[in-house]
Amino acid sequence: MNDNTATSAAVSTETRARSYPRTVTPKTIKEGKNKNGTEFVSFIGEYRRQGKDKVYTMFHTASGAALSSIREQLKEGQPIRVFGVFDEMPADAERKSKQVFRIIGLSTPREQAAEEMQQAA
């Protein structure tokens, strides 16, 4: 029993992805439900990399609690500050595999987060 616990702990630590903050401007927002019935939203998002002037585009997706946290601010053409991880969208009959930015939640500036922590205490 003890060996299984150690193995599962090691696996979960290794597979943990680093999250990244990003300000993204959604274009062509599509909403739907997956095969489990969970609501999701996907869109092509425009963003700039740190220190670069060029605008990049990437496929973004959010579901569950992440979708709930950004829903109010999610409007086409309106920048939204989020954080998330890079995932690989598997290939199927209609498309080839591609990288996707999976949104985890709404990102708040450090100053605002510090104020909220003080108010909660």
Side-chain angles (χ1 to χ4, degrees):
M1 276 281 217
N2 202 4
D3 290 336
N4 285 344
T5 308
T7 305
S8 65
V11 170
S12 66
T13 309
E14 289 175 16
T15 58
R16 210 169 174 182
R18 181 168 182 240
S19 65
Y20 297 90
R22 169 179 286 183
T23 300
V24 62
T25 305
K27 307 283 183 193
T28 321
I29 298 172
K30 294 181 182 175
E31 294 188 39
K33 289 187 178 185
N34 66 13
K35 59 185 172 189
N36 299 330
T38 304
E39 288 186 21
F40 73 90
V41 65
S42 62
F43 58 89
I44 300 296
E46 294 181 343
Y47 65 97
R48 288 198 165 110
R49 292 186 181 152
Q50 190 172 3
K52 307 282 184 189
D53 288 334
K54 183 179 176 188
V55 176
Y56 297 89
T57 60
M58 181 178 232
F59 191 75
H60 292 68
T61 184
S63 63
L67 177 56
S68 299
S69 71
I70 67 168
R71 190 177 289 278
E72 286 183 22
Q73 296 183 16
L74 189 63
K75 294 178 181 66
E76 271 190 48
Q78 179 180 322
I80 182 171
R81 191 175 164 103
V82 297
F83 68 98
V85 295
F86 292 99
D87 274 345
E88 190 73 25
M89 182 179 282
D92 65 11
E94 298 173 13
R95 67 173 185 271
K96 55 185 178 177
S97 72
K98 62 181 173 181
Q99 195 172 33
V100 59
F101 190 80
R102 183 172 45 90
I103 296 171
I104 296 174
L106 196 60
S107 181
T108 55
R110 288 184 182 152
E111 302 81 31
Q112 184 179 343
E115 287 176 16
E116 288 174 3
M117 292 283 283
Q118 287 176 349
Q119 289 174 359

